Amino acid sequence: MAEIRLEGVAHSYDGGKTYALNPITMTWKDGKAYALLGPSGCGKTTLLNIISGLLKPSEGKVFIDGKDVTDVITDDRNIAQVFQFPVLYDTMSVRKNLEFPLKNRKVPREKIAQRVKEIAELLGIENDLDSKPSKLRSDLQQIVSLGRGLVREDVSAILFDEPLTVIDQNFKWTLRNRLKRLHLATGVTVVYVTHDQTEALTFADEVLVMDKGNLVQVGTSESLFLEPQHEFVGYFIGSPGMNFLDVEANSSVLTHNGKTIGKAAKAGLNGSHRFGVRPEFLVPSNRSGLEFKIERIEDRGVFKLVHLSKDDFKFIAKTDESYDAKVGGKATFSFDPTRAFVYDAQQRAVSTVSPSSAGGN
Ligand code: ATP
């Protein structure tokens, strides 16, 4: 088990012209499960490969349990890595593939047999142990590859790079739960890369949200949903994502097209900002609130998504199933001020909205 620390780690693939990863300093605590979440190309694999030692960062240092491993090769970092696609020896049976990492480390024969049995049962491949990997379906091959990553008990950390991409949707859920159970039982530090927010939020103790090579927020699934500290977290997490409106702040009074929509809780805010509120915290109101045109109402069975517009800005409110209104007409929605945020030009949250002030039109 291990604590991983990154100090000013950054990476450029083109000699410093552009950075796939901007400087990151953070500690990954011993025994916790982390997810690296972000869209394609945001730098997740780059970061994972730097931790495993497959890639040497252009800048910064990597520490495992306090020891500087920046120049230490992967094999000597005691880390298991599972990739998106199967990495297996086809000349060997599934059993031998699973035994291989243990034999390499001279684990006693009885222990190897016991561990291979445990992992095969956990992954549901106990009947495939004597097959050659190429005879298995591609998703089963990936599960065997997963098994190879999980079979060693002495690893400091396990790194997963989108390991369930090729797995059938239904089995994905089961496998994820089994991986979670294994993590809880072994207490090994886990870093799990995904671009699927459900996968990240259900698997990890903490989620690291990345965008364009930057780590924009680290938090629990609850804090990322309730307190998005960056606009990207607002719209990437949640379904649908956060609504945004351009606002002007004048001594913290927020206006849109000259109309007051509330006052920022933080004093002395001035200049152009963005107001953000999630669809869940926009509530139909008969009294004060923001006035919208109703564009469309989408019935999702147990809730409705009400598509709204205000000038050029599109909003969505998530209402209960009973909501009804005329499409094309006007409607007023109030918002929960403590769940509404004001973002600066760098897309960083600088304030919530003062509870006494929310409303306006
Ligand atoms: P995905 O989810 O698609 O795997 P990612 O978030 O893991 O994406 P990376 O693979 O880390 O992102 O890539 C980050 C950036 O670095 C991208 O712009 C990518 O094109 C670039 N990149 C990745 N590997 C290399 C490489 N070997 N040489 C040059 N550029 C690279």
Side-chain angles (χ1 to χ4, degrees):
M1 285 185 272
E3 179 180 279
I4 301 164
R5 177 154 176 79
L6 307 180
E7 275 186 19
V9 163
H11 194 70
S12 168
Y13 288 101
D14 54 13
K17 280 195 220 110
T18 57
Y19 274 77
L21 195 67
N22 290 314
I24 291 179
T25 294
M26 75 163 286
T27 301
W28 314 59
K29 292 193 198 117
D30 189 7
K32 290 240 176 225
Y34 294 90
L36 280 180
L37 174 68
S40 185
C42 71
K44 305 182 293 294
T45 300
T46 301
L47 181 52
L48 203 71
N49 289 345
I50 287 172
I51 297 173
S52 69
L54 288 177
L55 191 64
K56 186 169 178 229
S58 348
E59 290 167 24
K61 288 188 181 305
V62 181
F63 296 87
I64 296 182
D65 281 337
K67 185 176 160 234
D68 183 349
V69 296
T70 319
D71 293 313
V72 173
I73 59 166
T74 306
D75 279 357
D76 296 339
R77 289 196 188 186
N78 206 24
I79 277 176
Q81 189 162 4
V82 179
F83 301 91
Q84 197 167 358
F85 298 104
V87 180
L88 298 167
Y89 296 107
D90 201 46
T91 50
M92 300 179 187
S93 64
V94 168
R95 185 192 308 280
K96 288 208 161 24
N97 265 281
L98 294 178
E99 288 173 350
F100 192 75
L102 302 177
K103 280 190 173 158
N104 255 353
R105 278 163 187 83
K106 315 250 178 309
V107 175
R109 190 195 294 248
E110 315 77 66
K111 181 70 195 160
I112 294 181
Q114 180 206 333
R115 186 63 184 157
V116 167
K117 183 166 177 283
E118 275 170 22
I119 290 295
E121 281 172 7
L122 177 90
L123 298 175
I125 49 173
E126 60 272 47
N127 296 327
D128 301 305
L129 286 172
D130 295 315
S131 307
K132 286 273 163 58
S134 60
K135 298 276 180 279
L136 302 179
R137 292 194 322 262
S138 63
D139 57 342
L140 280 178
Q141 291 180 18
Q142 176 63 2
I143 290 169
V144 177
S145 198
L146 202 59
R148 273 172 56 90
L150 298 174
V151 76
R152 281 177 57 198
E153 286 179 287
D154 61 339
V155 290
S156 305
I158 306 179
L159 313 182
F160 294 105
D161 194 350
E162 309 224 22
L164 307 184
T165 306
V166 295
I167 310 289
D168 160 73
Q169 200 58 34
N170 294 325
F171 194 47
K172 219 180 227 188
W173 181 256
T174 311
L175 260 186
R176 199 163 52 227
N177 286 337
R178 288 181 188 174
L179 289 180
K180 179 84 193 161
R181 226 179 336 140
L182 185 84
H183 168 251
L184 292 174
T186 58
V188 69
T189 310
V190 166
V191 183
Y192 189 105
V193 164
T194 178
H195 59 261
D196 178 335
Q197 56 167 298
T198 313
E199 200 156 293
L201 300 173
T202 52
F203 184 77
D205 300 312
E206 285 203 27
V207 178
L208 288 79
V209 184
M210 295 185 67
D211 181 38
K212 302 190 190 89
N214 297 309
L215 189 55
V216 291
Q217 190 172 346
V218 180
T220 59
S221 48
E222 191 182 13
S223 68
L224 294 171
F225 183 76
L226 295 177
E227 290 159 17
Q229 295 302 310
H230 191 280
E231 283 185 26
F232 180 76
V233 177
Y235 67 76
F236 193 70
I237 305 266
S239 181
M242 196 172 217
N243 300 293
F244 294 100
L245 186 68
D246 283 354
V247 291
E248 274 301 307
N250 194 337
S251 297
S252 296
V253 175
L254 306 170
T255 56
H256 171 76
N257 274 355
K259 290 180 180 164
T260 302
I261 65 158
K263 187 170 183 191
K266 184 180 171 185
L269 219 59
N270 289 300
S272 297
H273 287 78
R274 299 244 287 172
F275 163 86
V277 63
R278 289 198 178 278
E280 289 78 1
F281 303 120
L282 264 183
V283 185
S285 163
N286 296 323
R287 293 176 292 150
S288 64
L290 301 172
E291 196 171 83
F292 295 98
K293 180 178 170 200
I294 300 182
E295 299 286 345
R296 185 160 64 90
I297 299 177
E298 199 179 326
D299 194 341
R300 292 286 188 97
V302 285
F303 60 86
K304 283 182 178 166
L305 294 180
V306 186
H307 295 253
L308 306 160
S309 64
K310 188 171 186 62
D311 308 324
D312 293 336
F313 292 86
K314 306 278 181 227
F315 267 61
I316 297 178
K318 196 168 179 177
T319 66
D320 63 36
E321 180 56 17
S322 63
Y323 182 78
D324 198 19
K326 189 164 161 276
V327 172
K330 295 255 193 273
T332 302
F333 283 75
S334 62
F335 57 87
D336 178 345
T338 59
R339 298 284 167 234
F341 294 85
V342 184
Y343 295 91
D344 67 9
Q346 282 71 48
Q347 301 184 292
R348 288 264 154 217
V350 286
S351 180
T352 53
V353 176
S354 167
S356 58
S357 74
N361 55 19

